[in-house]
Amino acid sequence: MTSQVVGIDIGGTGIKGAIVDVKSGVLLSDRVKLPTPEGGEPEAIVATVIELLGKLGGLDKKASIGVCFPAAIVDGKTLSAANVSKKWIGLEAEKLFENALSRDIHFVNDADAAGIAEQRYGAAKDEQGLVIMTTLGTGIGTALLHRGHLIPNAELGHLEIDGVDWESKASFAAKERESLSFSDWAERLQRYYERLEAYFYPKLFIVGGGVSKHSEKFLPLLKLTTPIVPAELRNNAGILGAAALAVGD
Ligand code: BGC
């Protein structure tokens, strides 16, 4: 078997990928990023992933590939579609990628991949209690991790507050859409994380997504009982987790 492993992170806005050293959790190539095609349709996304793989310098034809995607995924099938085309709902997505790329693919939820990466290489490495990984991007992704185990497909970004799917109010995309200041946005995040605390009593919250690199602008504004820290792997967590899962460890 080849030792090369690639992680691909498909998001509502961009598709990123890199060759990864899954032992150390380090990127072995530049990170390539392409915009998610308008409408987020399955065939167009597959074509973009193929284009992205072509841009990864020195890629072995037989490299193992793990793909993470913003939907609930059970047995390789996408069961939801929040920020991509509704055509994904009920689609045999893993098979679609396997056929297009002529190899076995491991296909997982994006927040689950990010959580696995933080547990293995990052901020959750030494935590034995319940960890809730949250990604603040186009949507809000969540992963539940406990003692090395992942409870897959926790779709807690869609938790309703005041009868509203809170992802539509508190994702980073919502902050941008409504031109919210960090302090206005933090008020919405406060309500969100408070609710998670009340339901789960976690030991640690981790905050990922591109905006986590500016965590000093909003995390100190949150008043929570649970420690809340930025993702150590920043925006590479999805790539790293997808790659780690592709080789089954
Ligand atoms: C989706 C999740 C995904 C999250 C982050 C949500 O809208 O429902 O599956 O993990 O966005 O991309």
Side-chain angles (χ1 to χ4, degrees), residues 10-12 69-72 80-83 109-112 135 137-142 153-155 157-158 167:
I10 300 173
F69 187 81
S80 65
N83 295 299
N109 171 265
D110 55 357
D112 283 349
T135 62
T138 313
I140 296 182
T142 57
N153 294 313
E155 285 284 332
H158 300 294
E167 163 179 291

Side-chain angles (χ1 to χ4, degrees), residues 19 32 57 59 122 139 155 168 219-220 237:
I19 303 173
V32 176
L59 183 64
E155 285 284 332
S168 69
L219 290 190

